[in-house]
């Protein structure tokens, strides 16, 4: 069953155009994001915008009244359009703020507060009184392991609503936020820019919070302050010895010999070749080698005999 636009606007199907607009004026102010932070209020605000968009247009309304939401959004055969019904498939632009602004002439639900037909719907507050701070806006900041090893600077462009000098209207402005990444930062590190969210006459702008997420690295896995290197070795190498050459994140080549027998659970720790410690970047975690030992898929009888002789105690 499709949406009931009349029910959304809390009117009956005999409502006049004036009734439709009066209902939208009342409810859109009530559920506008600047005045209502309750769960589900924004979806209600969006539904109100779509209901007005349909019912205030004679052709869309005629199609909806006769064929319902399915006919409106799915289109109807052309022969049904002789009575003025709209035959093109309808899709709401999903921008209820745009609908609100076109209807009221402003994106501020408080801009004509004192001349409204419903002067008490916001409890008699004038813009600016008893401001409530918006919930933080959280976004991931994806960084490479190299970024987190060396530290870096990231510049992030945001667009936000900024109040105009009149204190009632707002405009969209861009701003560059600069994040200074410190060596050793870990995934989950939070960087907060206080009150850099959308401004409004009756809210305190939200904090913008970036949460560090580490991109996968082709060579190393990070666990806390340690770096893990997964080495691929043959059974022969595991039993007879080998060396591994690794390029570190600061560009050095280190060669690590393995003379002992390497078994599947074997690990080798190379101290102070891991990640910088966030509190003291001059100190580092460890580089830890783990091993994936490749066994031969098959052996000849002669090879098996030689191995038995070699391993015989």
């Amino acid at each position: 069953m499709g949406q009931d636009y009349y029910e959304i606007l809390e009117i009956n199907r005999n409502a006049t155009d004036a009734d439709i607009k009066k209902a939208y004026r009342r409810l859109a102010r009530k559920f506008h994001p600047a005045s209502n932070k309750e769960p589900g209020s924004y979806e209600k605000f969006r539904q109100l915008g779509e209901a007005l968009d349909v019912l205030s247009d004679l052709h869309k309304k005629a199609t909806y009244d006769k064929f319902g939401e399915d006919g409106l959004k799915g289109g109807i055969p052309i022969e049904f359009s002789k009575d003025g019904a709209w035959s093109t498939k309808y899709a709401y632009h999903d921008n209820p703020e745009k609908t609100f602004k076109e209807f009221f002439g402003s994106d501020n639900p408080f801009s004509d507060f004192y001349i409204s037909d419903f002067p008490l719907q916001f409890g008699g507050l004038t813009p600016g009184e008893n401001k409530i701070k918006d919930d933080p806006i959280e976004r991931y900041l994806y960084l490479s392991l190299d970024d987190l090893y060396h530290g870096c600077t990231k510049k992030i462009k945001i667009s936000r609503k900024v109040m105009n000098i009149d204190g009632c209207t707002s405009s969209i402005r861009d701003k560059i936020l600069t994040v200074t990444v410190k060596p050793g930062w870990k995934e989950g590190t939070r960087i907060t820019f206080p009150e850099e969210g959308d401004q409004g006459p009756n809210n305190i702008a939200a904090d913008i919070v970036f949460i560090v997420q580490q991109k996968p690295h082709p060579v190393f896995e990070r666990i806390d302050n340690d770096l893990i290197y997964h080495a691929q070795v043959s059974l022969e190498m595991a039993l007879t010895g080998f060396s591994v050459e690794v390029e570190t994140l600061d560009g050095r080549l280190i060669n690590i010999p393995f003379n002992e027998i390497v078994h599947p659970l074997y690990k080798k720790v190379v101290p102070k070749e891991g990640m910088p410690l966030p509190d003291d970047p001059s100190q580092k975690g460890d580089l830890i080698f783990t091993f994936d030992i490749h066994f031969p898929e098959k052996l000849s009888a002669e090879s098996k005999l030689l191995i038995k002789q070699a391993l015989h105690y």
Side-chain angles (χ1 to χ4, degrees):
M1 181 178 293
Q3 298 183 87
D4 188 332
Y5 294 129
Y6 293 98
E7 183 177 320
I8 289 170
L9 287 170
E10 300 178 7
I11 55 178
N12 61 47
R13 288 183 171 267
N14 297 321
T16 64
D17 186 62
D19 293 333
I20 292 168
K21 292 177 179 177
K22 184 176 181 180
Y24 177 78
R25 175 183 291 275
R26 174 175 62 87
L27 293 170
R29 286 171 172 268
K30 178 180 179 181
F31 290 98
H32 191 283
S35 58
N36 193 323
K37 305 298 181 183
E38 294 295 321
S41 61
Y42 186 82
E43 175 58 21
K44 175 69 173 181
F45 182 65
R46 191 203 66 78
Q47 291 175 348
L48 290 167
E50 182 174 335
L52 177 72
D53 192 55
V54 172
L55 298 184
S56 63
D57 183 288
L58 291 178
H59 296 305
K60 296 175 189 174
K61 183 176 183 295
T63 301
Y64 175 73
D65 286 344
K66 189 168 185 178
F67 301 101
E69 186 184 15
D70 291 340
L72 178 71
K73 294 184 176 179
I76 60 170
I78 194 66
E79 59 265 23
F80 290 114
S81 66
K82 294 178 181 178
D83 60 356
W86 195 57
S87 59
T88 305
K89 292 182 179 181
Y90 167 74
Y92 184 52
H93 50 64
D94 269 335
N95 187 347
E97 291 87 352
K98 176 182 177 183
T99 304
F100 185 93
K101 187 172 183 178
E102 289 174 348
F103 182 86
F104 285 97
S106 168
D107 58 6
N108 175 18
F110 305 96
S111 59
D112 61 345
F113 181 83
Y114 289 109
I115 60 173
S116 166
D117 293 334
F118 305 92
L120 299 179
Q121 62 182 319
F122 299 113
L125 297 178
T126 58
E129 290 185 358
N130 294 340
K131 288 187 177 183
I132 297 176
K133 186 167 183 175
D134 291 342
D135 293 334
I137 301 168
E138 297 183 348
R139 296 290 183 270
Y140 287 130
L141 176 62
Y142 291 93
L143 298 172
S144 69
L145 192 58
D146 295 87
D147 290 336
L148 295 169
Y149 183 90
H150 296 285
C152 63
T153 299
K154 297 290 183 181
K155 294 185 179 296
I156 304 164
K157 181 180 179 181
I158 64 169
S159 297
R160 63 174 188 150
K161 290 182 180 180
V162 177
M163 293 303 299
N164 296 324
I165 195 170
D166 61 11
C168 293
T169 60
S170 63
S171 55
I172 302 295
R173 297 181 190 173
D174 293 336
K175 184 171 184 177
I176 302 295
L177 302 180
T178 301
V179 178
T180 303
V181 178
K182 302 294 180 63
W185 272 6
K186 299 178 182 178
E187 190 167 76
T189 299
R190 300 168 69 90
I191 309 99
T192 301
F193 291 87
E195 299 180 14
E196 290 290 358
D198 288 340
Q199 297 178 355
N202 287 273
N203 72 301
I204 299 172
D207 296 342
I208 293 181
V209 181
F210 293 103
I211 304 172
V212 170
Q213 291 287 292
Q214 181 185 296
K215 299 177 185 177
H217 191 272
V219 176
F220 299 111
E221 176 188 355
R222 180 182 184 179
I223 299 180
D224 200 9
N225 297 316
D226 297 330
L227 293 175
I228 313 300
Y229 183 91
H230 300 283
Q232 310 288 321
V233 298
S234 67
L235 179 58
E236 176 193 355
M237 295 166 63
L239 295 176
T240 61
F242 59 96
S243 64
V244 176
E245 188 174 74
V246 179
E247 182 177 357
T248 63
L249 291 174
D250 57 4
R252 292 175 294 113
L253 283 175
I254 59 175
N255 191 289
I256 308 298
F258 296 88
N259 299 316
E260 56 272 43
I261 292 176
V262 172
H263 54 80
L265 298 180
Y266 178 87
K267 293 182 180 181
K268 186 177 184 70
V269 177
V270 182
K272 299 184 179 180
E273 288 291 354
M275 293 294 291
L277 274 57
D279 297 332
D280 183 4
S282 66
Q283 302 296 316
K284 294 181 181 178
D286 299 330
L287 173 60
I288 301 174
F289 285 85
T290 64
F291 300 91
D292 184 5
I293 302 171
H294 294 280
F295 285 73
E297 294 183 1
K298 58 182 180 179
L299 291 170
S300 66
E302 181 182 2
S303 297
K304 290 180 180 179
L305 179 60
L306 291 172
I307 291 173
K308 285 182 179 180
Q309 291 173 349
L311 297 179
H312 180 69
Y313 294 101

